[in-house]
Structure formats: C-alpha cells, structure tokens
Coordinates of all heavy atoms in Angstrom, one line a residue:
A266 N -82.9 73.2 39.3 CA -83.4 72.2 38.3 C -82.4 71.1 38.0 O -81.2 71.3 38.3 CB -83.7 72.9 37.0
I267 N -82.9 70.0 37.6 CA -82.0 68.8 37.2 C -81.1 69.3 36.1 O -81.4 70.0 35.2 CB -82.9 67.6 36.8 CG1 -82.0 66.4 36.6 CG2 -83.7 67.9 35.6 CD1 -82.7 65.1 36.4
D268 N -79.8 68.8 36.3 CA -78.8 69.1 35.3 C -79.0 68.1 34.1 O -78.9 66.9 34.2 CB -77.4 68.8 35.9 CG -76.3 68.9 34.9 OD1 -76.5 69.4 33.8 OD2 -75.2 68.5 35.2
P269 N -79.4 68.7 32.9 CA -79.7 67.8 31.7 C -78.4 67.1 31.2 O -78.5 66.1 30.5 CB -80.2 68.8 30.7 CG -79.8 70.1 31.1 CD -79.6 70.1 32.6
Q270 N -77.2 67.5 31.7 CA -76.0 66.9 31.3 C -75.5 65.9 32.4 O -74.3 65.6 32.5 CB -74.9 67.9 31.0 CG -75.3 69.0 30.0 CD -75.4 68.4 28.7 OE1 -76.4 67.8 28.3 NE2 -74.4 68.5 27.9
F271 N -76.4 65.4 33.2 CA -76.0 64.7 34.4 C -75.2 63.4 34.1 O -74.3 63.0 34.8 CB -77.3 64.3 35.2 CG -78.1 63.2 34.6 CD1 -77.9 61.9 34.7 CD2 -79.2 63.7 33.8 CE1 -78.7 61.0 34.1 CE2 -80.0 62.7 33.1 CZ -79.8 61.4 33.3
H272 N -75.5 62.8 32.9 CA -74.8 61.6 32.5 C -73.3 61.9 32.2 O -72.5 61.0 32.2 CB -75.4 60.8 31.4 CG -76.2 61.7 30.4 ND1 -75.6 62.6 29.6 CD2 -77.5 61.8 30.3 CE1 -76.5 63.2 28.9 NE2 -77.7 62.8 29.3
E273 N -73.0 63.1 31.9 CA -71.6 63.5 31.8 C -71.0 64.0 33.0 O -69.8 63.8 33.3 CB -71.4 64.6 30.7 CG -71.6 64.0 29.3 CD -72.1 65.1 28.3 OE1 -71.7 66.3 28.5 OE2 -72.8 64.7 27.3
N274 N -71.8 64.7 33.8 CA -71.3 65.4 35.0 C -71.3 64.5 36.3 O -70.7 64.9 37.3 CB -72.1 66.7 35.3 CG -71.9 67.7 34.1 OD1 -70.9 67.7 33.5 ND2 -72.8 68.5 33.9
R275 N -72.0 63.4 36.2 CA -72.1 62.5 37.4 C -71.6 61.1 37.0 O -71.5 60.8 35.8 CB -73.5 62.5 37.9 CG -74.1 63.8 38.5 CD -75.5 63.6 38.8 NE -76.1 64.8 39.4 CZ -76.7 64.9 40.6 NH1 -76.8 63.8 41.3 NH2 -77.2 66.0 41.0
E276 N -71.4 60.3 38.0 CA -71.1 58.9 37.8 C -72.2 58.0 38.3 O -72.9 58.3 39.3 CB -69.8 58.5 38.6 CG -68.6 59.0 37.8 CD -67.3 58.7 38.6 OE1 -67.3 57.6 39.3 OE2 -66.3 59.4 38.4
Q277 N -72.4 56.9 37.5 CA -73.4 55.9 38.0 C -72.8 55.2 39.2 O -71.8 54.6 39.0 CB -73.8 54.9 36.9 CG -74.9 54.0 37.3 CD -75.3 53.0 36.2 OE1 -75.0 53.2 35.1 NE2 -75.9 51.9 36.7
V278 N -73.5 55.2 40.3 CA -73.0 54.6 41.5 C -73.7 53.4 42.0 O -73.3 52.7 42.9 CB -72.9 55.7 42.7 CG1 -71.9 56.8 42.4 CG2 -74.3 56.3 43.0
D279 N -74.9 53.2 41.4 CA -75.8 52.1 41.8 C -76.8 51.8 40.8 O -76.9 52.5 39.8 CB -76.4 52.6 43.2 CG -76.9 51.4 44.0 OD1 -76.7 50.2 43.6 OD2 -77.4 51.6 45.1
E280 N -77.6 50.8 41.1 CA -78.8 50.5 40.3 C -79.9 50.2 41.2 O -79.7 49.8 42.4 CB -78.5 49.2 39.5 CG -79.1 49.1 38.1 CD -78.7 47.9 37.4 OE1 -77.5 47.6 37.3 OE2 -79.6 47.3 36.8
H281 N -81.1 50.6 40.8 CA -82.3 50.5 41.6 C -83.5 50.0 40.7 O -83.8 50.7 39.8 CB -82.7 51.8 42.3 CG -83.9 51.8 43.1 ND1 -85.0 52.6 42.8 CD2 -84.3 51.1 44.1 CE1 -86.0 52.3 43.6 NE2 -85.6 51.4 44.5
E282 N -84.0 48.9 41.0 CA -85.2 48.3 40.2 C -84.9 48.4 38.7 O -85.8 48.8 38.0 CB -86.4 49.1 40.6 CG -86.8 49.1 42.1 CD -87.4 47.8 42.5 OE1 -87.9 47.1 41.7 OE2 -87.3 47.5 43.7
G283 N -83.7 48.1 38.3 CA -83.4 48.0 36.9 C -83.0 49.3 36.2 O -82.7 49.3 35.1
H284 N -82.9 50.4 37.0 CA -82.5 51.7 36.4 C -81.3 52.2 37.2 O -81.0 51.8 38.3 CB -83.6 52.7 36.3 CG -84.3 53.0 37.6 ND1 -85.5 52.5 37.9 CD2 -83.9 53.8 38.6 CE1 -85.8 52.9 39.1 NE2 -84.9 53.7 39.6
A285 N -80.5 53.1 36.5 CA -79.3 53.6 37.1 C -79.6 54.6 38.2 O -80.6 55.3 38.2 CB -78.5 54.3 36.0
V286 N -78.6 54.7 39.1 CA -78.6 55.8 40.1 C -77.3 56.5 39.9 O -76.2 56.0 39.9 CB -78.7 55.2 41.6 CG1 -78.6 56.3 42.6 CG2 -79.9 54.4 41.7
W287 N -77.4 57.9 39.7 CA -76.3 58.7 39.5 C -76.0 59.5 40.7 O -76.8 60.2 41.2 CB -76.6 59.7 38.3 CG -77.0 58.9 37.1 CD1 -78.3 58.4 36.8 CD2 -76.2 58.6 36.0 NE1 -78.2 57.8 35.5 CE2 -77.0 57.9 35.0 CE3 -74.8 58.9 35.7 CZ2 -76.4 57.4 33.8 CZ3 -74.3 58.4 34.5 CH2 -75.1 57.7 33.6
G288 N -74.7 59.4 41.2 CA -74.3 60.0 42.4 C -74.1 61.5 42.3 O -74.2 62.1 41.3
P289 N -73.6 62.1 43.4 CA -73.3 61.5 44.7 C -74.5 61.1 45.5 O -75.5 61.7 45.4 CB -72.5 62.5 45.4 CG -72.9 63.8 44.9 CD -73.3 63.5 43.4
V290 N -74.4 60.0 46.3 CA -75.4 59.5 47.2 C -74.8 59.4 48.6 O -73.7 58.9 48.7 CB -75.9 58.1 46.7 CG1 -76.8 57.5 47.8 CG2 -76.7 58.2 45.4
D291 N -75.5 60.0 49.5 CA -75.1 59.9 50.9 C -76.4 59.8 51.7 O -76.9 60.9 52.2 CB -74.3 61.1 51.3 CG -73.8 61.0 52.7 OD1 -73.8 59.9 53.3 OD2 -73.3 62.1 53.2
E292 N -77.0 58.6 51.8 CA -78.3 58.5 52.4 C -78.3 58.8 53.9 O -77.3 58.6 54.6 CB -78.8 57.0 52.3 CG -79.1 56.7 50.8 CD -79.5 55.3 50.6 OE1 -79.9 54.6 51.6 OE2 -79.5 54.8 49.4
P293 N -79.4 59.4 54.5 CA -80.6 59.6 53.8 C -80.7 61.1 53.2 O -81.7 61.4 52.5 CB -81.7 59.5 54.9 CG -80.9 60.0 56.1 CD -79.5 59.6 55.9
E294 N -79.7 61.9 53.4 CA -79.8 63.3 53.0 C -79.6 63.5 51.5 O -80.2 64.5 50.9 CB -78.8 64.2 53.8 CG -79.1 64.3 55.3 CD -78.3 63.2 56.0 OE1 -77.6 62.4 55.3 OE2 -78.4 63.1 57.2
E295 N -78.8 62.7 50.9 CA -78.4 62.9 49.5 C -78.7 61.7 48.7 O -78.1 60.6 49.0 CB -77.0 63.3 49.4 CG -76.6 63.9 48.1 CD -75.1 64.5 48.1 OE1 -74.3 64.1 48.9 OE2 -74.9 65.4 47.3
L296 N -79.6 61.7 47.7 CA -80.1 60.5 47.0 C -79.7 60.4 45.6 O -79.9 59.4 45.0 CB -81.6 60.4 47.2 CG -82.1 60.3 48.7 CD1 -83.6 60.3 48.7 CD2 -81.5 59.1 49.4
G297 N -79.2 61.5 45.0 CA -78.8 61.4 43.6 C -80.0 61.4 42.6 O -81.1 61.8 42.9
I298 N -79.7 61.0 41.4 CA -80.7 61.0 40.3 C -81.0 59.6 39.9 O -80.1 58.7 39.8 CB -80.1 61.7 39.0 CG1 -80.0 63.2 39.3 CG2 -80.9 61.4 37.8 CD1 -79.3 64.0 38.2
H299 N -82.3 59.2 39.9 CA -82.7 57.9 39.5 C -83.2 57.9 38.0 O -84.0 58.8 37.6 CB -83.9 57.4 40.4 CG -83.4 56.9 41.7 ND1 -83.8 55.7 42.2 CD2 -82.5 57.4 42.6 CE1 -83.2 55.5 43.4 NE2 -82.5 56.5 43.6
G300 N -82.7 56.9 37.2 CA -83.1 56.8 35.8 C -82.2 57.5 34.9 O -81.3 58.3 35.3
T301 N -82.3 57.1 33.6 CA -81.4 57.7 32.6 C -82.3 58.3 31.5 O -82.2 59.5 31.2 CB -80.5 56.6 32.0 OG1 -79.7 56.1 33.1 CG2 -79.6 57.2 30.9
H302 N -83.1 57.5 30.8 CA -84.0 58.1 29.8 C -85.1 59.0 30.5 O -85.3 60.1 30.0 CB -84.8 57.0 29.0 CG -85.6 57.6 28.0 ND1 -85.1 58.2 26.8 CD2 -87.0 57.7 27.9 CE1 -86.2 58.7 26.1 NE2 -87.3 58.4 26.7
V303 N -85.7 58.5 31.6 CA -86.5 59.4 32.4 C -85.7 59.5 33.7 O -85.6 58.5 34.5 CB -87.9 58.7 32.7 CG1 -88.7 59.7 33.6 CG2 -88.6 58.5 31.4
A304 N -85.2 60.7 34.0 CA -84.3 60.9 35.1 C -85.0 61.8 36.1 O -85.5 62.9 35.7 CB -83.0 61.5 34.7
V305 N -85.0 61.4 37.4 CA -85.6 62.2 38.4 C -84.5 62.6 39.5 O -83.9 61.7 40.0 CB -86.8 61.5 39.1 CG1 -87.4 62.4 40.2 CG2 -87.9 61.1 38.1
D306 N -84.3 63.9 39.7 CA -83.3 64.3 40.7 C -84.0 64.2 42.1 O -84.9 65.1 42.4 CB -82.8 65.7 40.4 CG -81.6 66.0 41.3 OD1 -81.6 65.6 42.5 OD2 -80.8 66.8 40.8
F307 N -83.7 63.2 42.8 CA -84.4 62.9 44.1 C -84.1 64.0 45.1 O -84.8 64.2 46.1 CB -84.0 61.6 44.7 CG -84.8 60.4 44.1 CD1 -85.5 60.5 43.0 CD2 -84.7 59.2 44.8 CE1 -86.3 59.4 42.5 CE2 -85.4 58.1 44.3 CZ -86.2 58.2 43.2
D308 N -83.0 64.7 44.9 CA -82.6 65.8 45.8 C -83.4 67.1 45.5 O -83.3 68.0 46.3 CB -81.1 66.0 45.8 CG -80.4 64.8 46.3 OD1 -80.8 64.3 47.4 OD2 -79.5 64.3 45.6
I309 N -84.1 67.1 44.4 CA -84.9 68.3 44.1 C -86.4 67.9 44.2 O -87.2 68.8 44.7 CB -84.7 68.7 42.6 CG1 -83.2 69.2 42.5 CG2 -85.6 69.8 42.2 CD1 -82.8 69.6 41.0
C310 N -86.8 66.7 43.9 CA -88.2 66.3 44.1 C -88.8 66.6 45.4 O -88.1 66.2 46.4 CB -88.3 64.8 43.7 SG -90.0 64.1 44.0
L311 N -89.9 67.2 45.5 CA -90.6 67.5 46.8 C -91.9 66.8 46.9 O -92.8 67.2 47.7 CB -90.6 69.0 47.1 CG -91.0 70.0 46.0 CD1 -92.4 69.8 45.5 CD2 -90.7 71.4 46.5
A312 N -92.1 65.7 46.1 CA -93.3 64.9 46.2 C -94.5 65.6 45.8 O -95.6 65.3 46.4 CB -93.4 64.2 47.6
D313 N -94.5 66.4 44.8 CA -95.7 67.1 44.3 C -96.7 66.1 43.8 O -97.9 66.3 44.0 CB -95.3 68.1 43.2 CG -96.5 68.8 42.6 OD1 -97.0 69.8 43.2 OD2 -96.9 68.3 41.5
G314 N -96.2 65.1 43.0 CA -97.1 64.1 42.5 C -97.7 64.3 41.2 O -98.4 63.4 40.6
A315 N -97.5 65.5 40.6 CA -98.1 65.7 39.2 C -97.6 64.7 38.2 O -98.4 64.3 37.3 CB -97.8 67.1 38.8
C316 N -96.4 64.3 38.3 CA -95.8 63.4 37.3 C -96.5 62.0 37.4 O -96.9 61.5 36.4 CB -94.3 63.2 37.5 SG -93.8 62.7 39.1
L317 N -96.8 61.6 38.6 CA -97.5 60.3 38.7 C -98.9 60.4 38.2 O -99.4 59.5 37.6 CB -97.6 59.8 40.2 CG -96.3 59.1 40.7 CD1 -95.4 60.0 41.5 CD2 -96.8 57.9 41.6
E318 N -99.6 61.5 38.5 CA -101.0 61.7 38.0 C -101.0 61.8 36.5 O -102.0 61.3 35.9 CB -101.5 63.0 38.6 CG -102.1 62.8 40.0 CD -102.5 64.1 40.7 OE1 -103.0 65.0 39.9 OE2 -102.3 64.3 41.9
D319 N -100.1 62.5 35.9 CA -100.2 62.9 34.5 C -99.6 61.9 33.5 O -99.9 61.9 32.3 CB -99.7 64.3 34.3 CG -100.6 65.3 34.9 OD1 -101.6 65.0 35.5 OD2 -100.3 66.5 34.7
C320 N -98.6 61.1 33.9 CA -98.0 60.2 32.9 C -99.0 59.3 32.3 O -99.6 58.5 33.0 CB -96.8 59.4 33.6 SG -96.0 58.3 32.4
P321 N -99.1 59.3 31.0 CA -100.1 58.5 30.4 C -99.8 57.0 30.3 O -100.7 56.1 30.1 CB -100.2 59.0 28.9 CG -98.9 59.6 28.7 CD -98.4 60.2 30.0
V322 N -98.5 56.6 30.6 CA -98.1 55.2 30.6 C -97.6 54.7 31.9 O -97.0 53.7 32.0 CB -97.1 54.9 29.4 CG1 -97.8 55.1 28.1 CG2 -95.9 55.8 29.5
D323 N -97.8 55.5 33.0 CA -97.6 55.0 34.3 C -96.1 54.6 34.6 O -95.9 53.5 35.1 CB -98.6 53.8 34.6 CG -98.7 53.5 36.1 OD1 -98.4 54.4 36.9 OD2 -99.0 52.4 36.4
V324 N -95.3 55.5 34.2 CA -93.8 55.3 34.4 C -93.4 55.3 35.9 O -92.5 54.6 36.3 CB -93.0 56.3 33.6 CG1 -91.5 56.3 34.0 CG2 -93.1 55.9 32.1
F325 N -94.1 56.1 36.7 CA -93.5 56.4 38.0 C -94.2 55.6 39.1 O -95.4 55.3 39.1 CB -93.7 57.9 38.3 CG -93.1 58.8 37.3 CD1 -93.8 59.4 36.3 CD2 -91.7 59.1 37.4 CE1 -93.2 60.2 35.4 CE2 -91.1 60.0 36.5 CZ -91.9 60.5 35.5
D326 N -93.5 55.3 40.2 CA -94.0 54.8 41.4 C -93.5 55.6 42.6 O -92.3 56.1 42.5 CB -93.4 53.4 41.7 CG -94.2 52.3 40.9 OD1 -95.3 52.5 40.5 OD2 -93.6 51.2 40.8
W327 N -94.3 55.8 43.6 CA -93.8 56.4 44.8 C -92.8 55.5 45.5 O -93.0 54.3 45.6 CB -94.9 56.7 45.8 CG -95.8 57.8 45.5 CD1 -97.1 57.8 45.3 CD2 -95.4 59.2 45.3 NE1 -97.6 59.0 45.0 CE2 -96.6 59.9 45.0 CE3 -94.2 59.9 45.4 CZ2 -96.6 61.3 44.8 CZ3 -94.2 61.3 45.1 CH2 -95.4 62.0 44.9
I328 N -91.7 56.0 46.0 CA -90.9 55.2 47.0 C -90.6 56.1 48.2 O -90.5 57.4 48.1 CB -89.5 54.7 46.4 CG1 -88.6 55.8 45.9 CG2 -89.8 53.7 45.2 CD1 -87.2 55.4 45.7
D329 N -90.4 55.5 49.3 CA -90.2 56.2 50.6 C -88.8 56.7 50.7 O -87.8 56.0 50.3 CB -90.5 55.3 51.8 CG -92.0 55.0 51.8 OD1 -92.8 55.8 51.4 OD2 -92.3 53.9 52.3
S330 N -88.6 57.9 51.2 CA -87.3 58.5 51.4 C -87.2 59.2 52.8 O -87.0 60.4 52.9 CB -87.0 59.5 50.3 OG -88.0 60.5 50.2
P331 N -87.4 58.4 53.8 CA -87.4 59.0 55.2 C -86.1 59.7 55.5 O -85.0 59.1 55.2 CB -87.7 57.7 56.1 CG -87.3 56.6 55.3 CD -87.6 56.9 53.8
G332 N -86.2 60.8 56.1 CA -85.0 61.6 56.5 C -84.4 62.5 55.4 O -83.5 63.2 55.6
H333 N -85.1 62.5 54.2 CA -84.6 63.4 53.2 C -85.1 64.8 53.4 O -86.3 65.0 53.7 CB -85.0 63.0 51.8 CG -84.3 63.7 50.7 ND1 -84.8 64.9 50.2 CD2 -83.0 63.6 50.1 CE1 -84.0 65.4 49.3 NE2 -82.9 64.6 49.2
P334 N -84.3 65.9 53.3 CA -84.7 67.2 53.7 C -85.9 67.8 52.8 O -86.7 68.6 53.3 CB -83.5 68.1 53.5 CG -82.5 67.2 52.8 CD -82.8 65.8 53.1
E335 N -86.0 67.3 51.6 CA -87.1 67.9 50.7 C -88.4 67.2 50.9 O -89.5 67.8 50.9 CB -86.7 67.8 49.2 CG -85.6 68.8 48.8 CD -86.0 70.3 49.0 OE1 -87.2 70.6 49.0 OE2 -85.0 71.1 49.1
S336 N -88.4 65.9 51.0 CA -89.7 65.1 51.1 C -89.4 63.7 51.5 O -88.3 63.2 51.2 CB -90.4 65.2 49.8 OG -89.6 64.6 48.7
E337 N -90.4 63.0 52.1 CA -90.2 61.7 52.5 C -90.8 60.7 51.5 O -90.9 59.5 51.8 CB -91.0 61.5 53.9 CG -90.5 62.6 54.9 CD -90.0 62.0 56.2 OE1 -90.6 61.2 56.7 OE2 -88.9 62.5 56.6
E338 N -91.1 61.1 50.3 CA -91.4 60.2 49.2 C -90.8 60.8 47.9 O -90.6 62.1 47.8 CB -92.9 60.2 48.9 CG -93.7 59.4 49.9 CD -95.2 59.4 49.5 OE1 -95.8 60.5 49.4 OE2 -95.7 58.3 49.3
K339 N -90.5 60.0 47.0 CA -89.9 60.4 45.7 C -90.6 59.7 44.6 O -91.1 58.5 44.7 CB -88.4 60.1 45.6 CG -87.6 60.7 46.8 CD -87.6 62.2 46.7 CE -86.8 62.8 47.9 NZ -86.9 64.3 48.0
A340 N -90.7 60.3 43.4 CA -91.2 59.7 42.2 C -90.2 58.9 41.5 O -89.2 59.5 40.9 CB -91.8 60.8 41.3
D341 N -90.2 57.6 41.6 CA -89.2 56.7 41.0 C -89.6 56.3 39.6 O -90.7 55.9 39.4 CB -89.1 55.5 41.9 CG -87.9 54.7 41.6 OD1 -86.8 55.3 41.3 OD2 -88.0 53.4 41.6
P342 N -88.7 56.5 38.6 CA -89.0 56.2 37.2 C -88.9 54.6 37.0 O -88.1 54.2 36.2 CB -88.0 56.9 36.4 CG -86.8 57.0 37.3 CD -87.3 57.2 38.7
A343 N -89.8 53.9 37.6 CA -89.7 52.5 37.7 C -89.9 51.8 36.4 O -89.3 50.7 36.2 CB -90.8 52.0 38.7
R344 N -90.6 52.4 35.5 CA -90.8 51.8 34.1 C -90.4 52.8 33.0 O -91.2 53.1 32.1 CB -92.3 51.4 34.0 CG -92.7 50.2 34.9 CD -94.2 50.0 35.0 NE -94.8 51.1 35.7 CZ -94.8 51.3 37.0 NH1 -94.3 50.3 37.8 NH2 -95.4 52.3 37.6
E345 N -89.2 53.3 33.1 CA -88.7 54.3 32.2 C -88.7 53.8 30.8 O -88.9 54.6 29.8 CB -87.4 54.9 32.6 CG -86.2 53.9 32.5 CD -84.9 54.6 32.7 OE1 -84.8 55.8 32.9 OE2 -83.9 53.8 32.8
A346 N -88.6 52.5 30.5 CA -88.6 51.9 29.2 C -90.0 52.1 28.5 O -90.0 52.0 27.3 CB -88.2 50.5 29.2
Q347 N -91.0 52.3 29.3 CA -92.4 52.5 28.7 C -92.6 53.9 28.2 O -93.6 54.2 27.6 CB -93.4 52.2 29.7 CG -93.5 50.7 30.1 CD -94.6 50.4 31.0 OE1 -95.5 51.2 31.3 NE2 -94.6 49.2 31.7
C348 N -91.7 54.8 28.5 CA -91.9 56.3 28.2 C -92.1 56.5 26.7 O -91.4 55.9 25.9 CB -90.7 57.1 28.7 SG -90.7 58.8 28.3
I349 N -93.1 57.3 26.4 CA -93.4 57.7 25.0 C -93.0 59.1 24.7 O -93.4 59.7 23.7 CB -94.9 57.5 24.7 CG1 -95.8 58.3 25.7 CG2 -95.3 56.0 24.8 CD1 -97.3 58.3 25.3
D350 N -92.2 59.7 25.5 CA -91.6 61.0 25.3 C -92.6 62.1 25.1 O -92.4 63.1 24.3 CB -90.7 61.0 24.0 CG -89.5 60.0 24.2 OD1 -89.2 59.6 25.4 OD2 -88.9 59.7 23.2
C351 N -93.7 62.0 25.8 CA -94.7 63.1 25.6 C -94.3 64.4 26.3 O -94.9 65.4 26.1 CB -96.1 62.6 26.2 SG -96.1 62.5 28.0
M352 N -93.4 64.3 27.3 CA -92.8 65.4 28.0 C -93.8 66.1 29.0 O -93.5 67.1 29.6 CB -92.3 66.5 27.1 CG -91.3 66.0 26.0 SD -90.0 65.1 26.7 CE -88.8 66.4 27.0
L353 N -94.9 65.4 29.3 CA -95.9 66.0 30.3 C -95.3 66.1 31.6 O -95.4 67.1 32.3 CB -97.1 65.1 30.4 CG -98.4 65.5 29.6 CD1 -99.4 64.4 29.8 CD2 -98.8 66.9 30.1
C354 N -94.6 65.1 32.1 CA -94.0 65.1 33.4 C -93.0 66.3 33.6 O -93.0 67.0 34.6 CB -93.3 63.8 33.8 SG -92.0 63.3 32.6
V355 N -92.2 66.5 32.5 CA -91.2 67.6 32.5 C -91.9 68.9 32.7 O -91.5 69.8 33.4 CB -90.4 67.5 31.3 CG1 -89.5 68.8 31.1 CG2 -89.5 66.3 31.2
D356 N -93.1 69.1 32.0 CA -93.8 70.3 32.0 C -94.5 70.6 33.3 O -94.7 71.7 33.8 CB -94.9 70.3 30.9 CG -94.2 70.4 29.5 OD1 -93.0 70.8 29.4 OD2 -94.9 70.1 28.5
V357 N -95.0 69.5 34.0 CA -95.9 69.7 35.2 C -95.1 69.7 36.4 O -95.6 70.3 37.5 CB -97.0 68.7 35.3 CG1 -98.0 68.8 34.1 CG2 -96.5 67.3 35.4
C358 N -93.9 69.2 36.5 CA -93.1 69.2 37.8 C -92.8 70.7 38.2 O -92.2 71.4 37.4 CB -91.8 68.4 37.6 SG -90.9 68.5 39.2
P359 N -93.3 71.1 39.3 CA -93.1 72.5 39.8 C -91.7 72.9 40.1 O -91.4 74.1 40.1 CB -94.0 72.6 41.0 CG -94.1 71.2 41.6 CD -94.0 70.3 40.4
V360 N -90.8 71.9 40.3 CA -89.4 72.2 40.6 C -88.4 71.7 39.6 O -87.2 71.7 39.9 CB -89.1 71.7 42.1 CG1 -89.8 72.5 43.1 CG2 -89.4 70.2 42.2
D361 N -88.9 71.3 38.4 CA -88.0 70.9 37.3 C -87.1 69.8 37.8 O -85.9 69.8 37.5 CB -87.2 72.1 36.8 CG -88.1 73.0 36.0 OD1 -89.1 72.6 35.4 OD2 -87.8 74.2 35.9
A362 N -87.6 68.8 38.5 CA -86.8 67.7 38.9 C -86.6 66.6 37.9 O -85.8 65.7 38.1 CB -87.4 67.1 40.2
I363 N -87.3 66.7 36.8 CA -87.3 65.6 35.8 C -86.7 66.0 34.5 O -87.0 67.1 33.9 CB -88.8 65.1 35.5 CG1 -89.5 64.8 36.8 CG2 -88.8 63.9 34.6 CD1 -91.0 64.4 36.6
D364 N -85.9 65.1 33.9 CA -85.3 65.3 32.6 C -85.7 64.0 31.8 O -85.5 62.9 32.2 CB -83.8 65.4 32.6 CG -83.2 65.6 31.2 OD1 -83.4 66.7 30.7 OD2 -82.5 64.7 30.7
V365 N -86.3 64.3 30.6 CA -86.6 63.2 29.7 C -85.7 63.4 28.4 O -85.8 64.5 27.8 CB -88.0 63.1 29.3 CG1 -88.3 62.0 28.2 CG2 -88.9 62.7 30.5
D366 N -84.9 62.4 28.1 CA -84.0 62.5 26.9 C -84.7 62.0 25.7 O -84.6 60.9 25.4 CB -82.7 61.8 27.2 CG -81.7 61.9 26.0 OD1 -82.0 62.8 25.1 OD2 -80.8 61.1 26.0
A367 N -85.4 62.9 25.0 CA -86.3 62.6 23.9 C -85.4 62.5 22.6 O -86.0 62.2 21.5 CB -87.4 63.5 23.7
G368 N -84.1 62.8 22.7 CA -83.2 62.6 21.6 C -83.3 63.8 20.6 O -84.2 64.2 20.0
Ligands
SF4_1090 FE1 -94.5 59.6 31.2 FE2 -94.5 61.4 29.2 FE3 -92.9 61.7 31.3 FE4 -92.4 59.8 29.5 S1 -92.4 62.0 29.1 S2 -92.4 59.6 31.8 S3 -94.5 59.1 29.0 S4 -95.2 61.8 31.3
F3S1091 FE1 -91.4 65.0 42.4 FE2 -91.9 66.8 40.5 FE3 -93.0 64.4 40.4 S1 -91.7 67.2 42.6 S2 -93.3 63.9 42.5 S3 -90.8 64.8 40.3 S4 -93.9 66.3 39.8
ZN1092 ZN1 -85.1 54.3 41.5

C-alpha cells in the first residue's frame, strides 16, 4: 500500500502537469508517487480503473507508462485541486495505491 507519510519519507523530485512527483524515480521501471493532496503510487497502481470510474469530480486521467512492471497505464491525479475528499477512490482501489489527505 502507499505510504501515507510519503511527504516525510520521500523527496519531491519533479513536477508533472502541475502536481508533485515524489521519488525515487528511475523510468520506466520506477515511477514514484504523483500528487500530494490526492497521491497515487504509480509503482503500486495496476490500472484497475475504479478510481477513474468512481471519482465524482473527475480528478484522474489515464497516462501511459510503457515498460512499467505493474501496468502500462496509470491513474494520474491531474485535477487534485478539485477533490472533495469523499474518499471513494481510496476505498475502491484494490491495491491501496491512493492516499487522500483529508486533514
Ligand atoms: Fe475523487 Fe473523492 Fe478520490 Fe477526491 S477522494 S479524488 S473527490 S474519489
Ligand atoms: Fe490504479 Fe487503483 Fe486507480 S490500481 S487505476 S489507482 S483504482
Ligand atoms: Zn502526474
């Protein structure tokens, strides 16, 4: 499962579409965590898709991740600022790849 303390245990190494990327990153095998308020551990995500289907405010977009051992697509928290903290995505992800910091 995603480490809920990732912002203390990892370093921000990059930015993607306006959100943080938390390392380590070693493409294409290791992609790190995308997002801060809505954080998706790309190294755990296996492209189940439940988060994209269920998010009521359409926070996520698919992005391609060719060559990653878990899956060739990831759920990117492209619009994390729109999140209303409903926690649905956290509940439906089968591999606990998502952390939402509802405060
Ligand atoms: Fe969407 Fe709710 Fe997840 Fe926020 S907590 S990203 S609103 S499903
Ligand atoms: Fe990935 Fe979990 Fe969504 S596996 S696509 S973060 S439901
Ligand atoms: Zn991203």
Side-chain angles (χ1 to χ4, degrees):
I267 186 170
D268 174 10
Q270 307 291 83
F271 69 89
H272 29 70
E273 287 157 29
N274 296 334
R275 294 176 178 235
E276 280 180 30
Q277 184 179 342
V278 295
D279 202 357
E280 213 175 314
H281 175 242
E282 302 287 335
H284 55 259
V286 178
W287 303 82
V290 170
D291 184 13
E292 292 179 14
E294 294 89 1
E295 194 172 26
L296 299 175
I298 291 175
H299 281 228
T301 301
H302 181 72
V303 180
V305 181
D306 191 325
F307 277 16
D308 296 310
I309 296 175
C310 174
L311 40 65
D313 176 83
C316 57
L317 275 99
E318 278 173 33
D319 288 3
C320 178
V322 292
D323 197 22
V324 161
F325 302 98
D326 279 341
W327 286 123
I328 62 162
D329 293 329
S330 55
H333 189 270
E335 288 298 337
S336 59
E337 307 235 313
E338 284 182 305
K339 303 295 175 186
D341 193 40
R344 289 167 295 280
E345 66 174 355
Q347 291 182 15
C348 175
I349 57 171
D350 299 344
C351 72
M352 306 308 270
L353 260 178
C354 58
V355 172
D356 292 342
V357 295
C358 178
V360 288
D361 290 333
I363 308 175
D364 180 71
V365 174
D366 181 14

